[in-house]
Amino acid sequence: MQYRREIDGLRALAVMPVMLFHAKLNAFAGGFIGVDVFFVISGYLITSIIRAELAANKFSLIGFYERRARRILPALFAMLFTCLPLAWMWLLPLDMKRFAESVIAAVVFASNILFWKRSGYFDATAELTPTIHTWSVAVEEQYYIVFPLLLLLLRRRSNGFMLITIAILICASLGLAQWGALNRPAFSFYMLPTRAWEILLGAVTALWMEKNAGRPIVNVVAQTASMAGLVLIGGAVGVFDSSTPVPSLYTLMPTVGASLIILYASPQTLVGRLLGTRLLVGLGLLSYSAYLWHQPLLAFVRLRSTAGVSPGLLAVILIGAFIIAYFSWRYIEQPFRDRQRWNARKVWCSAAGCAAFLGAAGTYGVVSDGFKARLPPNVQYESMGEWLEKNGDVCVPMPVPGYQGVAACEFGDLASSRVVALYGDSHAQALSKELGETLKAEKRKGVRVVIDGCEVIPRMYNTQDIANHDSHCQERFESALLYIHNRGGEIIVASRWTMKLYPVENEIIDLAARNSEGGVEQGVRYREYAVMSADGSLRKDSGAKRQAVLDFLSRSLSIGTNVYVVYPVPEIAWDIARINYDYYRETGRVLSSISIPAADFYKRNRYVNELLSTYQSNPHFVPIKPQNMFCDTFMAQRCVAQFEGVPFYFDDDHLSNAGAKLVVAAIAKQMDERAGKRLR
């Protein structure tokens, strides 16, 4: 196969937007489409190589997979080996366990399956995952298992028949992707059946070029088509963002653009000369290693930073990724492609040995719960949501017959007829274990109530996940209230009010919690909320949010039962588990206290507290204020997140068992007082 410099230049054009997207630069919000361009390039190259070998009767499956192993495994394994000690030093137990799972998945080319099951690519947690990017490597390797068999099966058929067959497969895969983007977005994003059409588009491109080899292309056509391809890719980078359903019909924009460049760019075209420049060709040669190394660098730096990552540091990281990529390409990729230095036996033996070691390390990391025993208790269990994941849900909500969209489950004293409903988001979930223990002691039954596909405030939507929201949330909320009313229960409502209500005016968005001592909450951009108006439009202004909350509280109070509203929990803006871990790792001692200035909390939540207190004159409205437990109590003029080595939080805004116990005690006291009033 003849070498084409412009293809390496196209690789550079694919990898740089991906890296800039992972760096979270707003101008490259659509940079993730670089992966789609990579898929087209891979389909084109692999098809061209296999077809040439089939024509020369030189193709063998073993030889094909050996070349794939030489190309993919050395740099991938080197990246994973390097990440292991960094993960040991810097990851909290739950993160370490999840990293270990991702190492195993990467080794067996199942990363896309793991991350499909675990989280969305655009979730905030994704940017802190060192191996999230290996999903695309897994997709390609899965494709490589199947596609050569298809070409072997069709080798006796004409080029035209093969084109038609692959075109049918493209339509089927694209159709599934379009459906999946709207109905199963996580599956559609990660899995081969919905991604295959992009690689197959590259295959069709190769077959088309083979079919038309030798036919002259009019210069004006080549110039126009290749320029159109460049515009389509650049346009997708600039126009797409995390709300764009991908892969879908939208993804035709960058993939057709890549195909046009492959078909028409040449040294005789402007685009071909641009992509064939020494700089872009050089970056293209480094593209695979750069892709592998940039995400671990970004993730580990973010995990180590308590004050965010500055633009200058991001630039250093990305430049550093290319520097590391050069050494990876020069001393890892290139030597393993040299058959004189590494024959097939050495390649397979070394690959098997590395895979076995990484698999064993990953397995041990999983079964040991992220090497948990190396840390003291306040770091062991208070780590990145581990408590919430293992203990936060005291029961699993199931659909309630007769109440559309409502799910519920019972906890506490299951034999009691005295019912209290717990409704809310993860802040309610964080209270549920301690609440369950208290209700059991007081012979009350708890009912955890959730509404499928909706936010706590039914008219409010997460703007980055609106495709997954049900369009009948208000009706489902009314159904939930009816269910609670029919159970004769009181209601506890807990939510991260500050995030939902924080004023977002003139498109200036800064939802991250901050403290005046340098703490900045990480990964909150996806949580921007808006209100669905009657005409179907989304409103982000404070007035719309205020009215949505007032309507929510008014309807909750209208059923005539006590509503215990848990006010904002002080946002610490530091991840408590990480602060504890870093201090222990550096000193070998357990940190005594963690706190922030109380003034920071009062300033950020003044608006929210005033809004929630609108109904304080209503006899059924019962305010529960965590600030009374954590601020100006343990320490004067401070809001405490940890005291005498006991953490009240497990991250920057969710309460641990110890913290939840204080809030639940206040709820129980109010319940007892109101029960006493009713008896009197």
Side-chain angles (χ1 to χ4, degrees):
M1 178 182 174
Q2 183 180 359
Y3 173 68
R4 297 178 59 188
R5 291 176 58 86
E6 59 271 14
I7 299 300
D8 276 328
L10 184 58
R11 281 196 177 108
L13 199 66
V15 75
M16 288 190 291
V18 175
M19 295 172 67
L20 293 168
F21 167 76
H22 285 157
K24 298 299 178 185
L25 298 181
N26 291 333
F28 293 87
F32 55 85
I33 62 92
V35 173
D36 305 285
V37 175
F38 270 127
F39 284 156
V40 176
I41 296 172
S42 294
Y44 162 73
L45 291 174
I46 291 302
T47 304
S48 299
I49 292 170
I50 293 177
R51 289 286 291 173
E53 291 184 348
L54 286 172
N57 290 318
K58 294 181 179 179
F59 179 77
S60 76
L61 280 174
I62 296 298
F64 172 79
Y65 294 133
E66 178 197 331
R67 288 197 303 274
R68 289 296 86 206
R70 290 178 183 272
R71 170 77 172 116
I72 299 297
L73 297 184
L76 175 65
F77 286 170
M79 181 271 290
L80 294 174
F81 272 114
T82 304
C83 286
L84 283 175
L86 297 177
W88 173 273
M89 290 188 296
W90 292 339
L91 294 188
L92 295 161
L94 182 62
D95 293 331
M96 186 67 190
K97 180 178 179 179
R98 290 176 173 173
F99 171 76
E101 292 171 344
S102 73
V103 169
I104 298 171
V107 168
V108 298
F109 300 116
S111 296
N112 57 330
I113 300 173
L114 174 69
F115 292 121
W116 160 50
K117 293 290 188 180
R118 182 184 291 176
S119 66
Y121 183 72
F122 301 105
D123 288 354
T125 54
E127 68 182 38
L128 303 178
T129 305
T131 52
I132 186 75
H133 59 321
T134 59
W135 73 270
S136 62
V137 179
V139 168
E140 286 200 26
E141 290 304 301
Q142 292 162 14
Y143 176 85
Y144 294 152
I145 293 173
V146 178
F147 186 67
L149 301 176
L150 176 65
L151 289 186
L152 282 173
L153 182 65
L154 299 177
R155 65 181 302 182
R156 304 295 182 188
R157 299 287 189 170
S158 67
N159 189 291
F161 181 87
M162 196 173 295
L163 276 170
I164 293 172
T165 301
I166 295 179
I168 293 172
L169 292 175
I170 288 174
C171 292
S173 177
L174 178 57
L176 181 62
Q178 178 65 25
W179 177 87
L182 301 177
N183 297 279
R184 297 290 186 273
F187 176 90
S188 185
F189 186 91
Y190 283 117
M191 301 304 286
L192 176 63
T194 50
R195 288 288 185 176
W197 70 271
E198 300 178 66
I199 313 177
L200 289 169
L201 182 60
V204 165
T205 302
L207 293 171
W208 182 264
M209 292 187 71
E210 178 185 324
K211 181 179 176 63
N212 294 278
R215 292 186 182 180
I217 301 175
V218 179
N219 185 58
V220 67
V221 172
Q223 295 281 9
T224 303
S226 59
M227 183 60 70
L230 193 62
V231 170
L232 285 171
I233 293 174
V237 172
V239 174
F240 288 13
D241 59 29
S242 57
S243 66
T244 306
V246 289
S248 66
L249 293 173
Y250 286 99
T251 321
L252 286 169
M253 189 172 173
T255 53
V256 169
S259 182
L260 287 173
I261 289 176
I262 293 171
L263 283 169
Y264 293 104
S266 70
Q268 286 72 50
T269 64
L270 179 62
V271 172
R273 289 194 293 273
L274 173 65
L275 296 179
T277 58
R278 181 175 297 181
L279 175 62
L280 287 182
V281 170
L283 294 177
L285 291 172
L286 306 179
S287 61
Y288 176 58
S289 282
Y291 180 77
L292 288 178
W293 285 100
H294 82 281
Q295 176 59 19
L297 290 175
L298 288 168
F300 282 121
V301 169
R302 285 177 172 135
L303 286 165
R304 293 291 299 146
S305 173
T306 59
V309 182
S310 67
L313 182 55
L314 284 174
V316 171
I317 293 170
L318 296 181
I319 293 171
F322 273 108
I323 293 173
I324 296 173
Y326 170 78
F327 287 100
S328 175
W329 172 79
R330 177 71 176 81
Y331 297 106
I332 297 175
E333 288 190 59
Q334 291 295 95
F336 275 89
R337 295 186 199 179
D338 186 345
R339 295 179 179 276
Q340 300 300 317
R341 299 173 62 180
W342 289 85
N343 59 32
R345 184 172 180 274
K346 286 183 178 181
V347 167
W348 290 120
C349 287
S350 59
C354 290
F357 180 87
L358 289 168
T363 301
Y364 186 57
V366 172
V367 299
S368 65
D369 280 338
F371 308 108
K372 199 177 198 178
R374 62 196 164 115
L375 302 171
N378 73 321
V379 178
Q380 279 185 12
Y381 75 91
E382 306 294 344
S383 60
M384 296 293 287
E386 181 179 20
W387 176 87
L388 188 62
E389 182 178 273
K390 292 187 176 181
N391 303 305
D393 270 336
V394 289
C395 60
V396 179
M398 300 295 290
V400 179
Y403 297 90
Q404 183 64 35
V406 179
C409 59
E410 298 180 347
F411 61 100
D413 184 356
L414 301 184
S416 176
S417 60
R418 303 166 65 200
V419 174
V420 57
L422 177 64
Y423 177 75
D425 55 21
S426 59
H427 280 227
Q429 189 181 1
L431 298 175
S432 62
K433 180 175 171 55
E434 285 299 321
L435 181 63
E437 296 296 325
T438 299
L439 294 178
K440 186 181 294 184
E442 297 193 353
K443 300 189 182 307
R444 289 174 180 261
K445 179 188 295 183
V447 179
R448 176 95 165 94
V449 179
V450 299
I451 305 176
D452 293 338
C454 300
E455 293 289 340
V456 176
I457 302 168
R459 287 174 50 213
M460 197 165 281
Y461 290 80
N462 180 327
T463 57
Q464 297 301 315
D465 194 30
I466 194 169
N468 296 326
H469 284 285
D470 193 275
S471 60
H472 303 287
C473 288
Q474 187 64 43
E475 294 92 328
R476 293 189 170 193
F477 176 63
E478 297 292 339
S479 185
L481 286 178
L482 180 61
Y483 169 72
I484 295 170
H485 176 72
N486 290 341
R487 296 297 300 269
E490 300 177 297
I491 308 174
I492 299 171
V493 179
S495 180
R496 191 173 180 187
W497 306 103
T498 312
M499 180 62 68
K500 294 177 173 64
L501 287 168
Y502 200 66
V504 180
E505 308 292 4
N506 302 319
E507 300 298 319
I508 299 174
I509 303 169
D510 185 12
L511 300 177
R514 300 172 183 270
N515 64 56
S516 58
E517 296 174 344
V520 180
E521 182 185 8
Q522 300 297 302
V524 295
R525 298 196 311 164
Y526 78 105
R527 300 180 191 171
E528 181 189 352
Y529 288 90
V531 175
M532 182 70 75
S533 301
D535 61 1
S537 61
L538 287 176
R539 292 181 58 185
K540 302 177 184 178
D541 60 281
S542 299
K545 294 180 181 180
R546 175 186 177 88
Q547 192 58 51
V549 174
L550 292 177
D551 291 345
F552 163 76
L553 291 174
S554 179
R555 285 298 298 128
S556 300
L557 290 163
S558 70
I559 67 173
T561 189
N562 292 327
V563 179
Y564 300 83
V565 178
V566 181
Y567 278 51
V569 170
E571 299 160 302
I572 302 303
W574 284 314
D575 189 312
I576 301 306
R578 179 149 298 282
I579 294 291
N580 276 317
Y581 176 68
D582 289 345
Y583 185 83
Y584 178 77
R585 187 175 60 82
E586 293 169 5
T587 68
R589 299 192 305 274
V590 173
L591 187 60
S592 176
S593 65
I594 303 173
S595 64
I596 64 167
D600 293 350
F601 167 75
Y602 294 135
K603 179 180 178 181
R604 179 171 166 87
N605 289 276
R606 183 180 298 113
Y607 171 83
V608 179
N609 286 336
E610 289 175 356
L611 176 60
L612 293 179
S613 296
T614 301
Y615 289 96
Q616 61 186 358
S617 61
N618 188 306
H620 294 300
F621 180 85
V622 187
I624 305 295
K625 299 184 178 181
Q627 67 188 58
N628 294 338
M629 297 122 218
F630 303 107
C631 301
D632 286 308
T633 50
F634 293 91
M635 299 173 66
Q637 300 181 2
R638 308 285 294 183
C639 291
V640 173
Q642 180 164 305
F643 192 71
E644 293 183 348
V646 177
F648 297 138
Y649 292 68
F650 62 72
D651 57 13
D652 59 275
D653 64 277
H654 291 91
L655 296 176
S656 67
N657 284 344
K661 184 176 292 186
L662 299 177
V663 175
V664 169
I667 296 173
K669 181 180 178 182
Q670 288 291 329
M671 285 183 173
D672 290 342
E673 289 180 359
R674 289 172 182 268
K677 288 180 181 179
R678 285 197 301 271
L679 290 175
R680 289 195 295 272

